[in-house]
Amino acid sequence: MSETTASPGTITLHAGELDAAITGIEGRLAAWAAETGTALAALSAKVTGTAVDKLIRPVVEELVRTPDGYVAGAGFLANAGLLGPERSYIAWWQGEELEHVDALANFSPNSISRYVKSEWFRIPVETGQAHVTGPYVDFLCTDEYVLTFTHPVFCRPDGPVAGIVGMDVTVQRLERGAMPVLRRIGERATLVNSDGRAIVSAASDIAAGDLAAAEEGCSVYAVGRTFRIWSGATAL
Amino acid sequence: MLLTPQGASRSLAAVFTPIKSRGLVDEVCGRIEQAVETGLLTSGQRLPNETELAAALGVSAVTAREALSQLRTSGIIRTARGRNGGSFIADDVLPSRERALDQLRELTRLQISDLGLHYQAIAAACAGVAARRSDAADMAILRSFIPTADADPLHWRLALSEFLLEVAAIARSARLARELIRLQADLGTLTLLPCADSGYRATTAVLLEEVAAAVEFHQPSAAEAAVKALVTATTDWLLNEQSKRY
């Protein structure tokens, strides 16, 4: 371990701050998925686009306008069957101005093909579990380098997946929160996703998006469900 | 580095160039044209009414009405009266050979080759970074965009642009990706023309494989070279076609 690395106790403390932030996002998303499922179930058979918007938009507004919050955009995407067979519906807004993402898609008869195969939609629908996609360049919404946290929504515990709720966290925003933490941990401390791809790194030769490896014997700290901090990382 | 007086005046000139903002109406029209171009809205499909369109895009009803009127004038939508009336996407707006030829006629050789150089610079930069950052999951997606030999010209054209966008996605640079999207919009329907040529399809099929292999095996310079060759194949084809028309 290099001299610049802090003591294990301090590291755990610092890593804990970042873990709390990410776990907070994941927890808020899970709660939102549950609330949305209950509210959709209460609408019984009359699920319309307008009803979905009315349900989702206030939450998105609260999320994206939280001062120093991490959420750049958020929303709900319907699975086929909720509004009608093969009908898609996108209720997603981004930015402080609450720009309605892909608004025209809701008028298209074939727009479901725009998202059913996307990792952030497909995996939570297939597994029934929360998922995080990225970091990746999001062509559909932000055109930014983002992480998308998604969670399936159920109207009945044993029913089909009604849709997903999700939140976009830009790597840029995450960097502002994570960098001070990483620097306190060590000069090569790096936050990586489950593939070992760097999200934020204190090392100057590791950029967001690069694949990295943990240095031998370095400490590993879990951040949220799937991320890790390596106290020391090497560029691949 | 010291700025030469000439260099300084050039950058100042750029600062004080008037900003030409497209009006809101043009912006709404642009979105609908883009939706047609990407196949999201298709011929014969009913468009939302003024109120729905205004609400969806966050503009005033007046802006939505003007946009619909402008789209009607340019032949992108048609309006039917009566009980089943409304605005519909016109029947002949699909990227057509006629439109593409019109576009080619309007361009000079200088414009085509300059556009080609810009496209090449951005796409090659994406390919170089993608070759450093690719993983197995990326490769499966990238290869899925390589079209089969019997794909029709429309499909081939879409596959080529999606393939290069995927290379940009693998590079994971938002700026490069946005620039590539902008350049593809500038090229417009033009790229439909070479895709109707089986010789061009055969050449590009080989090049797509070369790009994919270089990205997969982490060879940045080979990936850059193959992407440059891919763009050159398109520009050369267009320049050749254009010179036949003089």
Side-chain angles (χ1 to χ4, degrees):
Chain A
M1 199 182 283
S2 66
E3 297 169 90
T4 48
T5 305
S7 72
T10 343
I11 297 175
T12 312
L13 192 71
H14 295 321
E17 285 176 39
L18 198 50
D19 175 48
I22 298 293
T23 306
I25 292 170
E26 290 167 345
R28 180 70 188 87
L29 187 64
W32 188 23
E35 292 158 21
T36 308
T38 312
L40 286 175
L43 289 171
S44 68
K46 313 181 290 282
V47 182
T48 62
T50 319
V52 171
D53 284 359
K54 219 170 141 185
L55 201 62
I56 300 299
R57 198 183 138 115
V59 183
V60 176
E61 191 166 348
E62 171 229 305
L63 287 168
V64 300
R65 291 190 178 156
T66 302
D68 302 318
Y70 284 108
V71 180
F76 170 84
L77 286 98
N79 201 2
L82 181 69
L83 279 88
E86 294 311 305
R87 256 304 294 281
S88 66
Y89 199 77
I90 303 175
W92 196 284
W93 291 267
Q94 67 184 17
E96 295 230 333
E97 300 294 313
L98 288 177
E99 181 197 336
H100 193 168
V101 168
D102 219 9
L104 281 175
N106 290 336
F107 298 109
S108 176
N110 55 1
S111 70
I112 196 139
S113 61
R114 276 167 88 74
Y115 60 76
V116 274
K117 285 190 206 146
S118 304
E119 180 183 335
W120 40 263
F121 186 82
R122 184 175 52 83
I123 297 186
V125 167
E126 279 174 7
T127 61
Q129 303 286 320
H131 183 71
V132 53
T133 305
Y136 71 110
V137 177
D138 174 18
F139 289 129
L140 196 60
C141 296
T142 54
D143 283 349
E144 288 282 350
Y145 198 47
V146 300
L147 293 157
T148 302
F149 292 78
T150 45
H151 197 293
V153 172
F154 295 93
C155 295
R156 295 191 316 270
D158 56 341
V161 177
I164 58 125
V165 282
M167 298 179 191
D168 282 334
V169 172
T170 64
V171 171
Q172 194 173 318
R173 285 202 197 191
L174 195 60
E175 180 186 306
R176 290 191 201 282
M179 205 53 184
V181 172
L182 294 173
R183 293 186 68 93
R184 269 177 264 145
I185 292 175
E187 62 185 20
R188 301 202 59 82
T190 303
L191 174 70
V192 295
N193 73 1
S194 54
D195 298 329
R197 200 176 287 282
I199 304 168
V200 183
S201 178
S204 56
D205 59 340
I206 301 177
D210 285 347
L211 285 165
E215 277 169 5
E216 213 179 296
C218 86
S219 313
V220 178
Y221 304 90
V223 172
R225 293 170 52 251
T226 56
F227 302 153
R228 298 281 177 276
I229 291 174
W230 291 334
S231 64
T234 327
L236 281 185
Chain B
M1 197 177 71
L2 275 174
L3 275 177
T4 62
Q6 193 194 24
S9 70
R10 276 187 188 170
S11 41
L12 272 180
V15 171
F16 292 110
T17 302
I19 297 166
K20 296 188 193 96
S21 69
R22 294 181 71 202
L24 264 184
V25 173
D26 287 344
E27 182 69 33
V28 174
C29 291
R31 295 276 184 97
I32 297 202
E33 284 171 39
Q34 204 186 349
V36 172
E37 179 71 20
T38 57
L40 184 63
L41 299 174
T42 51
S43 288
Q45 190 189 324
R46 177 197 288 272
L47 268 185
N49 65 32
E50 267 166 43
T51 323
E52 290 170 324
L53 190 65
L57 297 177
V59 296
S60 72
V62 176
T63 304
R65 186 181 315 141
E66 281 179 31
L68 288 173
S69 152
Q70 191 168 314
L71 288 164
R72 200 172 300 128
T73 312
S74 51
I76 291 170
I77 63 169
R78 62 182 167 79
T79 305
R81 299 193 182 277
R83 206 164 60 90
N84 293 317
S87 295
F88 300 85
I89 302 292
D91 293 326
D92 55 353
V93 298
L94 262 181
S96 76
R97 197 177 149 74
E98 296 316 309
R99 272 168 194 270
L101 283 172
D102 283 347
Q103 200 191 342
L104 185 64
R105 256 177 240 122
E106 281 167 22
L107 291 172
T108 60
R109 296 181 66 78
L110 178 65
Q111 283 175 308
I112 298 172
S113 52
D114 211 24
L115 186 52
L117 283 175
H118 192 181
Y119 197 29
Q120 214 176 38
I122 301 300
C126 290
V129 186
R132 288 204 291 113
R133 292 181 167 170
S134 68
D135 63 25
D138 291 335
M139 291 317 300
I141 301 172
L142 184 62
R143 286 221 154 83
S144 76
F145 287 109
I146 299 181
T148 51
D150 57 349
D152 64 55
L154 263 179
H155 180 88
W156 200 274
R157 167 176 176 269
L158 188 65
L160 279 178
S161 57
E162 291 288 320
F163 180 92
L164 287 180
L165 279 183
E166 195 51 40
V167 171
I170 295 171
R172 296 168 166 84
S173 157
R175 291 188 75 102
L176 287 178
R178 282 196 291 262
E179 190 60 12
L180 196 70
I181 291 173
R182 211 174 62 78
L183 282 162
Q184 289 187 345
D186 284 351
L187 274 164
T189 51
L190 214 52
T191 48
L192 184 64
L193 297 170
C195 290
D197 174 346
S198 61
Y200 171 86
R201 292 203 300 270
T203 310
T204 49
V206 174
L207 289 170
L208 290 175
E209 285 295 345
E210 268 181 51
V211 176
V215 169
E216 177 168 16
F217 299 112
H218 306 293
Q219 299 162 332
S221 39
E224 286 175 21
V227 159
K228 280 189 176 175
L230 187 65
V231 177
T232 302
T234 311
T235 331
D236 283 357
W237 195 99
L238 290 170
L239 286 171
N240 263 324
E241 184 63 22
Q242 221 242 15
S243 61
K244 286 183 204 161
R245 298 179 179 269
Y246 273 107

